[in-house]
Amino acid sequence: MSGFFQRLQQLDPRRQQAFMAALCERLLPNYGLYAATTSQGDPHGLRVILDLVWERLAVKEARIDFDRQAEKLAELEPPAEDDSFGARRALEAVVALSAILDTLRGEASEAVLEVSRASRSGVRAYIELTEGEEDAERLAALVRDHPLMADENDFQDAVLEAVEAGPLDREALKALRRLGRNDGVSNLGLSVED
């Protein structure tokens, strides 16, 4: 895994942002499910902010007030007192998107690692929740060998390879976005249509 994180850190900022945006695409359905089941939050608001990130990646001259977008994003967080599983996964989507906005505002050199880890930790939490294994060693092995974790690792590898390959032109960004959307299925194997 350390080689993976090293490669992530060696990417230029724009490629790191593209990597994070693709991961955010795959986290968005978790937020949508939370909103659908609790009537809290605004998936459309999150979608609009992520669309602006993609626009900025495609058009460097795009004039977007990311400070304002960060303020809007903060309003979309699940309520702090909601400690449910769904709220925590929804918060991961918000935090990941917030990390991209930080980089677009010139802050947060570790953001790309945070987003990668947040996506993986959501998968780990889901496996822990669904498998109910008490023994820490067995649980660690279960998480490591679980199909959802294998899928998450493969997905992040595929996104990293896509952002490392060739110029990040419009076509490459479109392909990356499609990859991130993952046919509407989140990193937890869930979709809003379910």
Side-chain angles (χ1 to χ4, degrees), residues 156-189:
Q156 289 204 25
D157 286 342
V159 173
L160 179 56
E161 285 165 19
V163 296
E164 285 174 333
L168 265 190
D169 56 20
R170 274 184 190 278
E171 286 313 304
L173 287 169
K174 267 190 210 154
L176 196 58
R177 194 172 187 175
R178 255 193 320 277
L179 178 65
R181 285 207 169 145
N182 199 39
D183 295 324
V185 178
S186 83
N187 61 337
L188 307 182

Side-chain angles (χ1 to χ4, degrees), residues 53-72:
V53 168
W54 285 111
E55 184 182 330
R56 176 62 184 275
L57 285 168
V59 184
K60 287 189 190 77
E61 305 76 46
R63 300 186 54 81
I64 298 162
D65 182 350
F66 285 111
D67 289 326
R68 179 74 194 107
Q69 297 310 315
E71 286 167 25
K72 287 183 186 173

Side-chain angles (χ1 to χ4, degrees), residues 92-157:
E92 282 164 2
V94 173
V95 167
L97 191 44
S98 178
I100 304 179
L101 295 184
D102 288 345
T103 65
L104 287 164
R105 292 164 23 203
E107 307 150 21
S109 57
E110 295 288 298
V112 72
L113 301 181
E114 285 169 37
V115 173
S116 171
R117 289 187 184 118
S119 187
R120 281 182 221 274
S121 74
V123 174
R124 186 170 42 254
Y126 185 73
I127 295 167
E128 288 171 2
L129 179 81
T130 54
E131 298 295 341
E133 176 58 67
E134 297 301 312
D135 179 70
E137 255 177 63
R138 278 210 299 268
L139 181 61
L142 201 65
V143 168
R144 193 178 50 249
D145 301 333
H146 198 282
L148 272 178
M149 189 54 85
D151 183 55
E152 175 68 14
N153 291 333
D154 291 348
F155 173 76
Q156 289 204 25
D157 286 342

Side-chain angles (χ1 to χ4, degrees), residues 34-96:
Y34 169 76
T37 54
T38 63
S39 302
Q40 305 236 28
D42 174 12
H44 177 71
L46 230 58
R47 167 89 270 148
V48 167
I49 296 170
L50 185 51
D51 286 349
L52 289 171
V53 168
W54 285 111
E55 184 182 330
R56 176 62 184 275
L57 285 168
V59 184
K60 287 189 190 77
E61 305 76 46
R63 300 186 54 81
I64 298 162
D65 182 350
F66 285 111
D67 289 326
R68 179 74 194 107
Q69 297 310 315
E71 286 167 25
K72 287 183 186 173
L73 185 60
E75 293 163 17
L76 301 177
E77 276 186 28
E81 63 277 5
D82 186 347
D83 196 31
S84 67
F85 181 82
R88 289 200 301 269
R89 303 296 72 82
L91 184 60
E92 282 164 2
V94 173
V95 167

